[in-house]
């Protein structure tokens, strides 16, 4: 897909809006330093309150993902994968420790700041695609830019570019229900990329796809990674994990080292 | 804070969920519509009933002669008490009586003629005082005055029905002459409504004229009096009864010897009935409103529950909780306001239609809606919708998006 159209990827970067371009240049500069991590987690803990009981879920996670890395986090269910993803995605708070995302300490963020950081730094890709069912492919992709207060025309132009790049030219005005699983996931990936975030968090992105489509999606991820984006994929599938450059194993709320 | 983007997003969200939007809107519209109708009809009932008194002085008392039921000074019960014109003068001397006048309705109809048209109608003799107490609702012309009475003028106020028959509903019969038998009467007015009449088919002339021309007997059917301010009928009543019992020889405790009709008492009765009806309307109206609130709240609750996933998606792609709450409130506000407005317009429109169509009876006329009440009711519904949208939405945005998105 992407591999067949390298010129599309290039034109995409050229059409980025001004602030997006600046951000991207900043990331390029960081890449030069390379030691600067995208994700830096130190002795992070989190527990859920179950009645009067505190159930620890994350028991001191140390994790560092450098800018431009492509890693997968593996673990059985109940290992704390989703909690970790929540915390990494600034969708949930943590109790103790430290989480620095792209140089920003995440802990004391207000609700609004958290939403802004999510919008600017992170693109999410989910197992069940999570497109809004009452919006067309194009509108779904453009949504994150709505929350960034980008005018409609620009939103749609950029969303169109990304969908073209995903090979979805002829499906832009289709509703999610009219698309196949693979097409939906491509729309979801386009949506994750639309704000040009430096970090993509994918939660079981191939869980609902057949082998062939899974292959295509992972290929797409590899291409995106080559563009300089940091990718973190959460999965329990060995084959998918094998396609990433580093595998982190999570067990019982802790990183397991081999 | 008009933000075109927000409105576009809102329009899409509402139009893509037609059933949801429609149900909420219908609940609000229907509630307001029914409430407006209820209030309007209640007002019509109140107006119609109070209109029964509109032509009558509210401090007036009407006295008819009755039949005795007690023996008195050797007289057997069952005698007819027949009031006379002298009673009027005597009653006028009592302290607390403001004015007093006689009414005499002739039993048989008289043939009347205008040009070639003839018809038989009843004649009612009244005094200028009665004209003040019981104002005939005049379509044109004037009431009978003191001068007519003093000079026993041959003047008449004719009913609209009479005008219809004799003059083929002439637009202005005032000043024309009609003949009662061979006696000419000048028409001074036309009435279309009088207390105790089903349709306006009588001819009113001065009492003095009636005695002179038709019936010299000094009897009267009914005496009308008004009570001076500062007095109540109950203050005067014992004196009046004692006076009449002496003159007509009946037991002052004989309650059937006189038929007394105290308008203020009647008004009080009707007013207490009205306040009962008003209370009933408040209860039913509040009930309707509550049902509307429950309906709207229920739809909002279900809607928000349904949308937990959507909120999760929006949060994951950069919406803050405040963005989502604002969106929910904005949608609720727009639906409830627009739907409420539709219900309000429909209700007021129907009421107006009823009013224009002139549907009225003795107890119902000119329904009208108290807009401030209707608007406050709408306010309550909108508020209920907002609260019912806000509370579960606040819960929903607290749910971690990942949780919301994983549980399908």
């Amino acid at each position: 897909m992407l591999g067949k159209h390298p010129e599309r990827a290039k034109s995409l970067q050229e059409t980025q809006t001004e602030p997006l371009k600046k951000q991207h240049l900043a990331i390029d500069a960081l890449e030069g330093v390379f030691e600067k991590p995208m994700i830096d987690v130190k002795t992070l803990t989190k527990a859920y309150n179950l009645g009067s009981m505190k159930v620890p879920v994350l028991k001191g996670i140390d994790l560092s993902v450098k800018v431009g890395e492509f890693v997968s986090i593996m673990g059985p269910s109940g290992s704390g994968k989703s909690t970790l993803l929540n915390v990494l995605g600034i969708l949930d708070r943590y109790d103790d420790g430290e989480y620095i995302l792209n140089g920003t300490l995440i802990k004391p963020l207000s609700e609004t700041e958290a939403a802004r950081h999510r919008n600017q730094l992170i693109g999410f890709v989910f197992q069940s695609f999570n497109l809004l069912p009452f919006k067309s492919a194009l509108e779904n992709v453009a949504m994150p830019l709505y929350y960034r207060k980008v005018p409609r025309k620009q939103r749609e132009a950029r969303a169109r570019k990304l969908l073209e790049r995903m090979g979805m030219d002829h499906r832009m005005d289709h509703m999610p229900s009219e698309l196949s699983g693979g097409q939906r996931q491509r729309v979801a990936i386009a949506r994750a990329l639309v704000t040009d975030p430096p970090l993509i968090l994918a939660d079981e992105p191939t869980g609902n796809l057949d082998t062939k489509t899974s292959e295509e999606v992972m290929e797409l991820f590899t291409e995106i990674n080559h563009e300089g984006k940091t990718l973190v994929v959460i999965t329990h599938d060995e084959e998918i994990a094998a396609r990433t450059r580093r595998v982190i194993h999570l067990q019982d709320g802790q990183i397991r080292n081999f | 804070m008009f933000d075109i983007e927000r409105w576009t997003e809102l329009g899409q969200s509402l139009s893509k969920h037609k059933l949801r939007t429609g149900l909420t809107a219908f609940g609000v519209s229907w509630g307001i519509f029914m409430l407006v109708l209820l209030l309007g009809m209640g007002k019509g009932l109140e107006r119609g009933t109070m209109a029964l008194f509109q032509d009558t002085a509210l401090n007036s008392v009407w006295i008819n002669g009755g039949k005795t039921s007690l023996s008195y000074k050797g007289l057997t019960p069952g005698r007819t008490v027949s009031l006379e014109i002298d009673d009027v003068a005597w009653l006028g001397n009592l302290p607390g009586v403001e004015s007093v006048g006689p009414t005499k309705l002739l039993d048989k109809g008289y043939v009347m003629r205008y040009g070639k048209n003839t018809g038989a109608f009843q004649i009612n003799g009244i005094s200028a005082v009665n004209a003040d107490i019981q104002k005939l609702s005049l379509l044109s012309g004037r009431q009978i005055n003191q001068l007519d009475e003093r000079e026993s003028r041959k003047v008449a106020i004719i009913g609209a029905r009479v005008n219809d028959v004799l003059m083929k509903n002439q637009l202005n019969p005032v000043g024309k002459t009609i003949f009662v038998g061979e006696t000419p009467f000048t028409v001074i007015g036309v009435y279309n409504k009088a207390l105790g009449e089903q349709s306006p088919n009588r001819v009113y002339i001065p009492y003095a004229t009636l005695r002179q021309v038709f019936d010299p007997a000094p009897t009267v059917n009914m005496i009308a009096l008004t009570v001076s301010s500062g007095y109540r009928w109950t203050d005067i009543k014992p004196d009046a009864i004692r006076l009449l019992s002496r003159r007509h020889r009946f037991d002052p405790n004989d309650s059937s010897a006189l038929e007394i009709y105290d308008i203020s008492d009647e008004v009080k009765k009707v007013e207490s009935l009205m306040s009962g009806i008003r209370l009933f309307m408040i209860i039913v109206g509040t009930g309707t409103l509550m049902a509307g609130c429950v309906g709207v709240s229920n739809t909002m609750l279900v809607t928000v529950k349904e949308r937990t996933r959507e909120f999760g998606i929006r949060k994951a792609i950069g919406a803050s909780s405040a963005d989502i709450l604002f969106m929910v409130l904005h949608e609720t506000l727009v639906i409830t306001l627009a739907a409420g407005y539709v219900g309000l317009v429909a209700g007021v429109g129907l009421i107006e239609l009823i009013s224009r169509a002139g549907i009225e009876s003795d107890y119902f006329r000119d329904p009208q809606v108290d807009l401030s009440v209707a608007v406050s009711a709408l306010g309550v519904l909108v508020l209920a919708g907002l609260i019912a949208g806000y509370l579960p939405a606040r819960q929903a945005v607290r749910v971690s998006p990942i949780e919301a998105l994983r549980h399908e």
Side-chain angles (χ1 to χ4, degrees), chain A residues 82 85-86 91 111 115 118-119 124 126 128 130 132 134-135 139 143-144 146-147 151-152 155 191 203, chain B residues 5-6 8-9 12 16-17 309-310 313-321 400-402 405-406 408:
Chain A
S82 19
L85 183 74
N86 269 327
L91 293 167
E111 164 70 33
R118 266 200 305 274
N119 184 269
F124 286 95
F126 302 97
S128 44
N130 284 321
L132 291 179
F134 55 92
K135 284 178 181 291
E139 287 163 343
M143 270 309 283
Y146 167 76
Y147 287 111
R152 174 168 290 266
R155 287 206 304 262
R191 182 178 64 185
D203 180 23
Chain B
E5 296 283 354
R6 279 214 162 106
T8 324
E9 183 67 19
Q12 198 184 32
K16 293 280 170 66
H17 299 99
R309 191 181 168 80
E310 178 193 335
I313 298 173
R314 287 182 189 268
K315 259 183 103 168
I317 61 179
S320 65
S321 295
S400 150
I402 299 288
L405 297 180
R406 276 209 170 150
E408 279 183 57

Side-chain angles (χ1 to χ4, degrees), chain A residues 44-242:
Chain A
L44 185 140
T45 64
K46 174 153 183 77
Y48 284 121
N49 289 316
L50 260 183
S52 54
M53 286 228 302
K54 275 208 156 205
V55 181
V57 184
L58 300 179
K59 304 167 182 172
I61 302 274
D62 285 297
L63 173 66
S64 183
V65 177
K66 294 192 180 69
V67 169
E69 263 200 290
F70 186 9
V71 304
S72 54
I73 297 176
M74 283 196 74
S77 56
S79 60
K81 273 185 304 178
S82 19
T83 308
L84 182 58
L85 183 74
N86 269 327
V87 172
L88 293 183
I90 333 178
L91 293 167
D92 207 347
R93 290 160 186 270
Y94 54 94
D95 297 335
D96 267 311
E98 202 176 74
Y99 171 31
I100 295 168
L101 172 62
N102 201 32
T104 307
L105 178 65
I106 293 307
K107 187 142 193 173
L109 289 181
S110 76
E111 164 70 33
T112 322
E113 275 178 306
R116 207 187 67 232
H117 277 87
R118 266 200 305 274
N119 184 269
Q120 292 185 342
L121 298 177
I122 307 166
F124 286 95
V125 177
F126 302 97
Q127 174 177 9
S128 44
F129 324 127
N130 284 321
L131 302 172
L132 291 179
F134 55 92
K135 284 178 181 291
S136 69
L138 184 70
E139 287 163 343
N140 263 293
V141 174
M143 270 309 283
L145 294 174
Y146 167 76
Y147 287 111
R148 201 184 262 200
K149 312 249 181 285
V150 175
R152 174 168 290 266
K153 284 243 169 71
Q154 287 182 40
R155 287 206 304 262
E156 290 191 347
R158 180 150 172 79
R160 196 165 277 126
K161 282 257 150 54
L162 275 162
L163 280 169
E164 275 168 15
R165 179 184 159 192
M166 298 293 154
M168 295 283 293
D169 320 40
H170 54 295
R171 290 278 189 274
M172 289 191 192
D173 297 322
H174 284 55
M175 297 314 244
S177 57
E178 299 163 338
L179 300 173
S180 72
Q183 287 170 330
R184 285 187 214 180
Q185 196 59 301
R186 255 175 263 160
V187 172
I189 292 169
R191 182 178 64 185
L193 290 172
V194 78
T195 54
D196 197 30
L199 173 66
I200 303 286
L201 288 179
D203 180 23
E204 302 277 6
T206 58
N208 282 356
L209 301 175
D210 60 36
T211 322
K212 186 173 164 289
T213 321
S214 299
E215 275 294 306
E216 286 173 11
V217 166
M218 288 315 287
E219 199 174 303
L220 205 51
F221 277 157
T222 310
E223 291 296 335
I224 293 163
N225 176 240
H226 284 326
E227 278 174 37
K229 300 223 181 291
T230 312
L231 269 89
V232 177
V233 176
I234 293 200
T235 185
H236 63 265
D237 186 336
E238 294 282 358
E239 276 184 47
I240 295 299

Side-chain angles (χ1 to χ4, degrees), chain B residues 141-160:
Chain B
R142 63 169 177 86
Q143 306 279 358
I144 288 167
N145 62 27
Q146 307 269 356
L147 216 57
D148 298 326
E149 203 182 349
R150 213 177 306 139
E151 299 181 357
S152 304
R153 285 178 177 171
K154 296 192 184 68
V155 293
I157 297 173
I158 62 173

Side-chain angles (χ1 to χ4, degrees), chain B residues 104 106 108 110-112 123 125 148 151-156 178-186 205-217:
Chain B
K104 182 168 185 171
L106 294 178
K108 59 169 186 135
Y110 280 78
V111 176
M112 306 188 185
I123 293 172
D148 298 326
E151 299 181 357
S152 304
R153 285 178 177 171
K154 296 192 184 68
V155 293
I178 60 171
F179 286 88
V180 181
E182 291 309 315
T183 317
F185 276 83
T186 307
I205 63 173
Y207 176 76
T209 314
L210 180 138
R211 277 189 72 185
Q212 211 174 61
V213 177
F214 301 103
D215 181 4

